[in-house]
PDB file of all heavy atoms in Angstrom:
ATOM      1  N   PRO A 131     169.319   0.598  43.539  1.00 74.00           N
ATOM      2  CA  PRO A 131     167.912   1.055  43.411  1.00 74.00           C
ATOM      3  C   PRO A 131     167.717   2.289  42.611  1.00 74.00           C
ATOM      4  O   PRO A 131     168.651   3.174  42.528  1.00 74.00           O
ATOM      5  CB  PRO A 131     167.512   1.301  44.876  1.00 74.00           C
ATOM      6  CG  PRO A 131     168.851   1.735  45.624  1.00 74.00           C
ATOM      7  CD  PRO A 131     169.772   0.917  44.931  1.00 74.00           C
ATOM      8  N   ARG A 132     166.637   2.442  41.945  1.00 73.00           N
ATOM      9  CA  ARG A 132     166.237   3.581  41.281  1.00 73.00           C
ATOM     10  C   ARG A 132     165.293   4.411  42.225  1.00 73.00           C
ATOM     11  O   ARG A 132     165.052   3.870  43.229  1.00 73.00           O
ATOM     12  CB  ARG A 132     165.293   3.300  40.046  1.00 73.00           C
ATOM     13  CG  ARG A 132     165.965   2.567  38.921  1.00 73.00           C
ATOM     14  CD  ARG A 132     165.252   2.448  37.736  1.00 73.00           C
ATOM     15  NE  ARG A 132     165.622   1.521  36.910  1.00 73.00           N
ATOM     16  CZ  ARG A 132     165.359   1.622  35.558  1.00 73.00           C
ATOM     17  NH1 ARG A 132     164.692   2.418  35.003  1.00 73.00           N
ATOM     18  NH2 ARG A 132     165.991   0.637  34.609  1.00 73.00           N
ATOM     19  N   LEU A 133     165.030   5.499  41.887  1.00 65.00           N
ATOM     20  CA  LEU A 133     163.994   6.292  42.730  1.00 65.00           C
ATOM     21  C   LEU A 133     162.756   5.444  42.628  1.00 65.00           C
ATOM     22  O   LEU A 133     162.204   5.070  41.674  1.00 65.00           O
ATOM     23  CB  LEU A 133     163.770   7.713  42.016  1.00 65.00           C
ATOM     24  CG  LEU A 133     164.983   8.657  42.099  1.00 65.00           C
ATOM     25  CD1 LEU A 133     164.725  10.038  41.373  1.00 65.00           C
ATOM     26  CD2 LEU A 133     165.480   8.905  43.548  1.00 65.00           C
ATOM     27  N   LYS A 134     162.194   5.320  43.802  1.00 64.00           N
ATOM     28  CA  LYS A 134     160.911   4.503  43.986  1.00 64.00           C
ATOM     29  C   LYS A 134     159.861   5.297  43.391  1.00 64.00           C
ATOM     30  O   LYS A 134     159.683   6.544  43.292  1.00 64.00           O
ATOM     31  CB  LYS A 134     160.618   4.220  45.359  1.00 64.00           C
ATOM     32  CG  LYS A 134     161.664   3.369  45.991  1.00 64.00           C
ATOM     33  CD  LYS A 134     161.230   3.038  47.453  1.00 64.00           C
ATOM     34  CE  LYS A 134     162.278   2.059  48.096  1.00 64.00           C
ATOM     35  NZ  LYS A 134     161.942   1.635  49.362  1.00 64.00           N
ATOM     36  N   ASP A 135     158.906   4.616  42.750  1.00 58.00           N
ATOM     37  CA  ASP A 135     157.646   5.199  42.195  1.00 58.00           C
ATOM     38  C   ASP A 135     156.410   4.339  42.623  1.00 58.00           C
ATOM     39  O   ASP A 135     156.716   3.129  42.983  1.00 58.00           O
ATOM     40  CB  ASP A 135     157.701   5.314  40.628  1.00 58.00           C
ATOM     41  CG  ASP A 135     157.702   4.093  39.817  1.00 58.00           C
ATOM     42  OD1 ASP A 135     156.911   3.035  40.189  1.00 58.00           O
ATOM     43  OD2 ASP A 135     158.476   4.022  38.781  1.00 58.00           O
ATOM     44  N   LYS A 136     155.295   4.793  42.523  1.00 62.00           N
ATOM     45  CA  LYS A 136     154.151   4.027  43.055  1.00 62.00           C
ATOM     46  C   LYS A 136     153.864   2.814  42.133  1.00 62.00           C
ATOM     47  O   LYS A 136     153.174   1.882  42.783  1.00 62.00           O
ATOM     48  CB  LYS A 136     152.987   4.905  43.189  1.00 62.00           C
ATOM     49  CG  LYS A 136     152.563   5.560  41.804  1.00 62.00           C
ATOM     50  CD  LYS A 136     151.449   6.627  42.005  1.00 62.00           C
ATOM     51  CE  LYS A 136     151.064   7.085  40.713  1.00 62.00           C
ATOM     52  NZ  LYS A 136     149.926   8.137  40.758  1.00 62.00           N
ATOM     53  N   HIS A 137     154.257   2.700  40.889  1.00 64.00           N
ATOM     54  CA  HIS A 137     153.913   1.599  40.029  1.00 64.00           C
ATOM     55  C   HIS A 137     154.887   0.465  40.289  1.00 64.00           C
ATOM     56  O   HIS A 137     154.498  -0.667  40.067  1.00 64.00           O
ATOM     57  CB  HIS A 137     153.799   2.058  38.718  1.00 64.00           C
ATOM     58  CG  HIS A 137     152.865   3.176  38.383  1.00 64.00           C
ATOM     59  ND1 HIS A 137     151.415   2.930  38.496  1.00 64.00           N
ATOM     60  CD2 HIS A 137     153.021   4.412  38.126  1.00 64.00           C
ATOM     61  CE1 HIS A 137     150.729   4.064  38.289  1.00 64.00           C
ATOM     62  NE2 HIS A 137     151.751   5.052  38.032  1.00 64.00           N
ATOM     63  N   ASN A 138     156.058   0.743  40.582  1.00 61.00           N
ATOM     64  CA  ASN A 138     157.114  -0.450  40.763  1.00 61.00           C
ATOM     65  C   ASN A 138     158.073   0.072  41.773  1.00 61.00           C
ATOM     66  O   ASN A 138     159.221   0.461  41.421  1.00 61.00           O
ATOM     67  CB  ASN A 138     157.759  -0.670  39.363  1.00 61.00           C
ATOM     68  CG  ASN A 138     158.475  -1.910  39.345  1.00 61.00           C
ATOM     69  OD1 ASN A 138     158.644  -2.647  40.380  1.00 61.00           O
ATOM     70  ND2 ASN A 138     158.862  -2.460  38.183  1.00 61.00           N
ATOM     71  N   PRO A 139     157.778  -0.037  43.044  1.00 56.00           N
ATOM     72  CA  PRO A 139     158.602   0.466  44.093  1.00 56.00           C
ATOM     73  C   PRO A 139     160.034  -0.215  44.265  1.00 56.00           C
ATOM     74  O   PRO A 139     160.836   0.335  44.860  1.00 56.00           O
ATOM     75  CB  PRO A 139     157.776   0.257  45.421  1.00 56.00           C
ATOM     76  CG  PRO A 139     156.805  -0.931  44.961  1.00 56.00           C
ATOM     77  CD  PRO A 139     156.550  -0.740  43.590  1.00 56.00           C
ATOM     78  N   TYR A 140     160.145  -1.461  43.724  1.00 61.00           N
ATOM     79  CA  TYR A 140     161.396  -2.134  43.910  1.00 61.00           C
ATOM     80  C   TYR A 140     162.283  -2.237  42.542  1.00 61.00           C
ATOM     81  O   TYR A 140     163.173  -2.944  42.359  1.00 61.00           O
ATOM     82  CB  TYR A 140     161.148  -3.586  44.383  1.00 61.00           C
ATOM     83  CG  TYR A 140     160.396  -3.454  45.782  1.00 61.00           C
ATOM     84  CD1 TYR A 140     159.085  -3.760  45.758  1.00 61.00           C
ATOM     85  CD2 TYR A 140     161.109  -2.953  46.870  1.00 61.00           C
ATOM     86  CE1 TYR A 140     158.428  -3.752  47.094  1.00 61.00           C
ATOM     87  CE2 TYR A 140     160.447  -2.879  48.067  1.00 61.00           C
ATOM     88  CZ  TYR A 140     159.087  -3.215  48.203  1.00 61.00           C
ATOM     89  OH  TYR A 140     158.555  -3.092  49.361  1.00 61.00           O
ATOM     90  N   LEU A 141     161.893  -1.410  41.602  1.00 71.00           N
ATOM     91  CA  LEU A 141     162.650  -1.457  40.296  1.00 71.00           C
ATOM     92  C   LEU A 141     164.098  -0.961  40.529  1.00 71.00           C
ATOM     93  O   LEU A 141     164.298   0.052  41.215  1.00 71.00           O
ATOM     94  CB  LEU A 141     161.983  -0.620  39.251  1.00 71.00           C
ATOM     95  CG  LEU A 141     162.486  -0.520  37.925  1.00 71.00           C
ATOM     96  CD1 LEU A 141     162.644  -1.864  37.159  1.00 71.00           C
ATOM     97  CD2 LEU A 141     161.918   0.604  37.024  1.00 71.00           C
ATOM     98  N   GLY A 142     165.035  -1.739  40.099  1.00 80.00           N
ATOM     99  CA  GLY A 142     166.404  -1.314  40.314  1.00 80.00           C
ATOM    100  C   GLY A 142     167.087  -1.104  38.979  1.00 80.00           C
ATOM    101  O   GLY A 142     166.552  -1.126  37.910  1.00 80.00           O
TER     102      GLY A 142
END
Side-chain angles (χ1 to χ4, degrees):
R132 293 184 194 209
L133 296 175
K134 292 183 179 182
D135 70 42
K136 62 183 178 181
H137 301 292
N138 197 347
Y140 301 109
L141 181 65

